[in-house]
Amino acid sequence: MQFDESNRLRERAKRLIPGGAHTYSKGDDQFPQLSPGFITHAKGALAWDPDGNEFLDWGMGLRSVCLGHAYEPVLEVVRAQIEKGVNFTRPSLLEADLAELLVELVPAAEMVKFAKNGSDVTTAAVRLARAYTGREVVIRCLDHPFFSVDDWFIGDTAMDAGIPQSSKALTKNFPFNDAAALERLLEANRGQVACIILEAAATAAPAPGFLERVRELATQHGAVLVFDEIISGFRWNVRGAQHYYGVTPDLATFGKAMANGFSLSALVGKRDIMERGGLDHAHPRVFLLSTTNGTETHCLAASLRTIQLLRDTPIIDENWQIGRQLREGFNALAARHGIGERARMQGVDISPWYAFYDADGKVDMGLRTLFLQETIRHGVLIPYIAISASHRQAEVARTLDAVDKALKVVAQAMERGSVDGLLVGPVVKPVFRKFN
Ligand SMILES: Cc1ncc(COP(=O)(O)O)c(C=O)c1O
């Protein structure tokens, strides 16, 4: 497999764009050297690069595409809507149509406000919680990798250059599934916590009783409970992970899968909190969300069609089965190559993830890079796993075939104690690090 054209275009992009990409997780430091630098087009679960290489794609646009790339039933309504205009001087009717559907489906949703990006709605949730409670401290879950591009979150990561100390001091964190740590934080900041924000589930499922206890603690301490459902929404369940796990937050944020890759996000929540962003109250006005392009009509139409399909078909149930098959298939292959202890697919079946470990049990990024390189060599792009309606039995079989071949090389590296001579180019790195 050649990447000559990708390599040529990489140089151009790096000259023009810091990091060569507009999202850190699409950047060169996240992929091996022998990889497609760009995607030119995609259809269903397939994607093509500038050299004409074809890949089975599991990344699906940073998990935003939940049905398939260029999915015809969604494109139909998008095309029709574009013909009618995409942005008007007053709201389109689609705004209330989609808000009504979310209110019908999502337990926490009594009112809805749309935007384009996940970050905008999580930050809106934080501001609203601060205005509603008159408090400033934010508690966020430490094990959830990303909530927002804004200071309240980025200031609490390793990549905090440019963020004022005054902002950093206001964000505290606690580990997932550790309600006692959350309780200690709430006690230590009694009367100051505006909100607690976490994903209902991410790499790990919530331990029995954990989310219920978080709910209880938030209520006891008068803090607004926010679930970031930007990944879990419309994936775990059409009513959200909050329905799946049976715990209702005060506010919740959605994005990614809600419009099959079209740009749309939503803040939803309890009426008495949400209406502070509106025109019918006597409290100080909250600048909740206000965007020029936040309700482009074709994105709302895409979302309506996407959610209706997820609601009316067994797609999500089938996705859970596909995730289980992938996990079991990967782990069986790892065992067959004799590396079951050091190569594992794990997590919640709707969103499985894999990791490689060194002899001491620490995550090994060299082995991860080698695995990525070898799966790419066999036509599968699997930096993470976003299962869509376009991933079914044939895609699982093709993936496990590539995984088998890749694990064979990974096993060689483990035996040698090094990826040297097998991996071409540098090892991938975590996005959140202090220095390049
Ligand atoms: C859990 C979570 N929250 C928020 C965001 C931010 O979303 P966006 O990139 O649409 O601003 C992301 C994006 O990856 C995310 O995964």
Side-chain angles (χ1 to χ4, degrees), residues 116-120 122 146-149 199 228 230-231 256:
K116 281 288 179 216
N117 298 303
S119 287
D120 288 342
T122 51
F146 191 50
F147 290 107
S148 173
V149 295
E199 295 180 79
D228 178 337
I230 285 160
I231 288 179
K256 298 215 188 247

Side-chain angles (χ1 to χ4, degrees), residues 139-155:
I139 296 182
R140 65 105 174 176
C141 181
L142 181 62
D143 300 303
H144 295 160
F146 191 50
F147 290 107
S148 173
V149 295
D150 293 301
D151 287 5
W152 68 266
F153 171 68
I154 299 296

Side-chain angles (χ1 to χ4, degrees), residues 307-361:
I307 296 172
Q308 283 159 357
L309 283 167
L310 296 174
R311 181 194 60 191
D312 300 340
T313 70
I315 288 171
I316 292 181
D317 287 344
E318 289 168 13
N319 289 351
W320 280 86
Q321 299 306 319
I322 293 294
R324 186 175 56 78
Q325 285 175 25
L326 262 189
R327 178 175 55 74
E328 291 175 354
F330 181 105
N331 290 337
L333 289 168
R336 194 183 315 153
H337 287 285
I339 57 172
E341 290 296 305
R342 293 181 55 191
R344 274 199 307 279
M345 191 172 282
Q346 52 208 316
V348 186
D349 280 347
I350 192 64
S351 188
W353 53 282
Y354 61 81
F356 297 93
Y357 301 92
D358 66 17
D360 299 327

Side-chain angles (χ1 to χ4, degrees), residues 49-212:
D49 75 0
D51 290 276
N53 301 311
E54 179 193 285
F55 298 97
L56 173 57
D57 180 22
W58 287 96
M60 303 305 281
L62 310 174
R63 304 178 196 270
S64 66
V65 179
C66 62
L67 298 170
H69 293 291
Y71 198 74
E72 196 50 44
V74 175
L75 293 188
E76 264 169 28
V77 296
V78 166
R79 283 190 204 104
Q81 191 55 53
I82 285 174
E83 294 288 338
K84 296 185 201 165
V86 298
N87 204 345
F88 310 134
T89 309
R90 300 222 62 199
S92 73
L93 294 173
L94 288 165
E95 295 178 30
D97 290 346
L98 183 57
E100 195 166 59
L101 182 58
L102 294 185
V103 168
E104 209 176 283
L105 292 173
V106 179
E110 292 173 4
M111 297 184 90
V112 180
K113 192 121 182 183
F114 295 114
K116 281 288 179 216
N117 298 303
S119 287
D120 288 342
V121 289
T122 51
T123 293
V126 167
R127 181 184 298 147
L128 186 56
R130 283 173 163 164
Y132 182 77
T133 58
R135 303 166 173 185
E136 294 193 340
V137 172
V138 172
I139 296 182
R140 65 105 174 176
C141 181
L142 181 62
D143 300 303
H144 295 160
F146 191 50
F147 290 107
S148 173
V149 295
D150 293 301
D151 287 5
W152 68 266
F153 171 68
I154 299 296
D156 195 42
T157 71
M159 206 171 161
D160 60 352
I163 297 178
Q165 191 55 42
S166 55
S167 164
K168 290 164 63 165
L170 293 174
T171 299
K172 320 277 179 193
N173 59 58
F174 72 104
F176 190 63
N177 275 337
D178 190 347
L182 173 62
E183 189 168 7
R184 284 194 297 277
L185 262 185
L186 286 162
E187 286 298 343
N189 296 275
R190 186 167 268 283
Q192 297 175 63
V193 178
C195 64
I196 301 163
I197 181 164
L198 71 160
E199 295 180 79
T203 49
F210 169 71
L211 292 177
E212 290 80 356

